Amino acid sequence: MKWTDDRGGNVDDRRGSGGSGGMIVGGGLGTLIIAAIVFFLGGDPSGILNSGSVQSSGNGQKRELTAEENKIGEMVDMMSGWNVITWDQIFKENGMTYTKPGIVLFEDTTQSGCGTAQSAMGPFYCPADQKIYMDMSFFNELQQRFGAKVTEFTVAYVLAHEEGHHIQTLLGTTQKVDELRRSGRYSEADMNRVSIATELQADFYAGVWAKRTNDTKGILEPGDIESAIDAAQAVGDDNIQKRSQGYVNQESFTHGSSAQRKEWFMKGYNTGDIKQGDTFNQLLK
């Protein structure tokens, strides 16, 4: 992945600030369910974040960031800049106005508009405050526990996926899905299918971003798209279930299979057209 001088200017780096060290307890969720939530990318975690109490376990001491950590922060800011430039252009082409999300880098725990965020939850987007929360230790888990080969562009893909959820909020998709969930008219199986469509659309948007950004910035190098696909497949429902519980239960899928995640990312990358990503009509027929 080639670096550029672009910066988003919207990164709130809270690493080293001495977080609360808290942990969510009392949620009443089974271990396997928690394991699934922990390592899924995307979605609104507020139901999990607010389901239990916060128990402090850290000392809250501050520390200086290392040179490597500062470099990572700079990289995320650069990737954010790419997202801002690309999505601003796409929105203008479609007669709309884009507003960039905030990006919060943290370690252990921090506060979000959706409640207390934990590093164990992995990266997520919070619609309530329109911010993306990332603890970079997630990428160690992605490689060590789920078999993905992590590169710089892996980070770019994950950020682009979460940006995809922000795009859904700007377009009103997030709000419509939330209305369906709150209506109580749909079964758990129905809402799981809606969730899959939501997540695969975020993968599609990540592919659109990769295509359009490379067209204007020339950021891609050999192996970059493959590393994004590798990460997308690693967090497919089937791969996570195989590794966490030893078997696959398709009825409990909420984010899509490894094959589906690859398919929709590549559809976004191959078309570069935001209008080709109606996963809801494709998957909910």
Side-chain angles (χ1 to χ4, degrees):
M1 186 189 78
K2 298 178 181 178
W3 283 49
T4 70
D5 293 331
D6 301 291
R7 298 294 183 269
N10 56 338
V11 177
D12 176 9
D13 196 341
R14 301 179 188 175
R15 296 173 300 165
S17 63
S20 66
M23 57 182 291
I24 301 297
V25 297
L29 295 176
T31 302
L32 292 179
I33 297 176
I34 293 175
I37 293 169
V38 163
F39 297 107
F40 284 153
L41 294 183
D44 179 2
S46 58
I48 305 303
L49 289 166
N50 295 322
S51 64
S53 59
V54 178
Q55 178 176 313
S56 179
S57 60
N59 54 25
Q61 291 182 348
K62 295 183 178 181
R63 66 174 181 83
E64 292 293 326
L65 296 182
T66 66
E68 181 180 1
E69 287 173 323
N70 283 321
K71 189 71 172 178
I72 289 172
E74 183 181 356
M75 179 181 71
V76 172
D77 198 9
M78 173 184 67
M79 294 171 178
S80 174
W82 294 341
N83 273 281
V84 171
I85 293 169
T86 295
W87 285 111
D88 185 62
Q89 181 59 39
I90 292 173
F91 269 55
K92 285 180 179 177
E93 291 171 1
N94 290 276
M96 300 180 294
T97 301
Y98 170 81
T99 56
K100 61 185 178 183
I103 299 174
V104 178
L105 298 182
F106 72 100
E107 54 190 2
D108 299 328
T109 65
T110 194
Q111 292 301 313
S112 79
C114 296
T116 301
Q118 285 186 288
S119 59
M121 296 186 65
F124 67 87
Y125 172 73
C126 174
D129 59 13
Q130 297 193 10
K131 291 181 180 180
I132 295 167
Y133 291 83
M134 297 177 66
D135 185 320
M136 303 305 290
S137 66
F138 165 79
F139 295 96
N140 294 329
E141 294 286 344
L142 189 61
Q143 180 165 290
Q144 295 169 9
R145 294 195 60 177
F146 295 100
K149 181 182 178 181
V150 174
T151 67
E152 289 181 344
F153 199 73
T154 304
V155 180
Y157 156 70
V158 171
L159 182 62
H161 175 97
E162 302 307 333
E163 175 81 32
H165 287 303
H166 178 61
I167 300 304
Q168 290 172 326
T169 296
L170 295 181
L171 296 179
T173 306
T174 303
Q175 295 84 333
K176 291 178 182 177
V177 170
D178 191 49
E179 288 175 6
L180 292 178
R181 183 179 294 110
R182 292 175 181 274
S183 72
R185 298 195 303 267
Y186 301 93
S187 67
E188 181 180 353
D190 289 334
M191 290 312 304
N192 282 350
R193 293 170 62 208
V194 171
S195 177
I196 290 171
T198 303
E199 294 302 325
L200 294 181
Q201 188 176 68
D203 277 332
F204 171 84
Y205 288 154
V208 170
W209 166 83
K211 167 65 174 175
R212 295 291 298 267
T213 302
N214 189 56
D215 286 348
T216 58
K217 296 291 182 180
I219 62 171
L220 293 178
E221 294 182 314
D224 282 343
I225 291 299
E226 288 76 11
S227 70
I229 292 172
D230 193 38
Q233 291 178 318
V235 291
D237 284 322
D238 48 349
N239 185 55
I240 290 175
Q241 288 185 358
K242 284 178 183 177
R243 291 175 178 267
S244 64
Q245 63 190 25
Y247 62 91
V248 174
N249 177 11
Q250 292 188 9
E251 293 183 359
S252 65
F253 282 11
T254 58
H255 285 58
S257 68
S258 296
Q260 286 177 310
R261 300 200 71 160
K262 174 183 177 180
E263 175 190 354
W264 282 98
F265 173 82
M266 288 308 300
K267 184 175 182 179
Y269 180 72
N270 288 329
T271 66
D273 181 4
I274 191 175
K275 297 179 181 178
Q276 301 299 313
D278 190 351
T279 55
F280 294 90
N281 279 334
Q282 288 286 326
L283 299 170
L284 303 179
K285 293 179 179 178

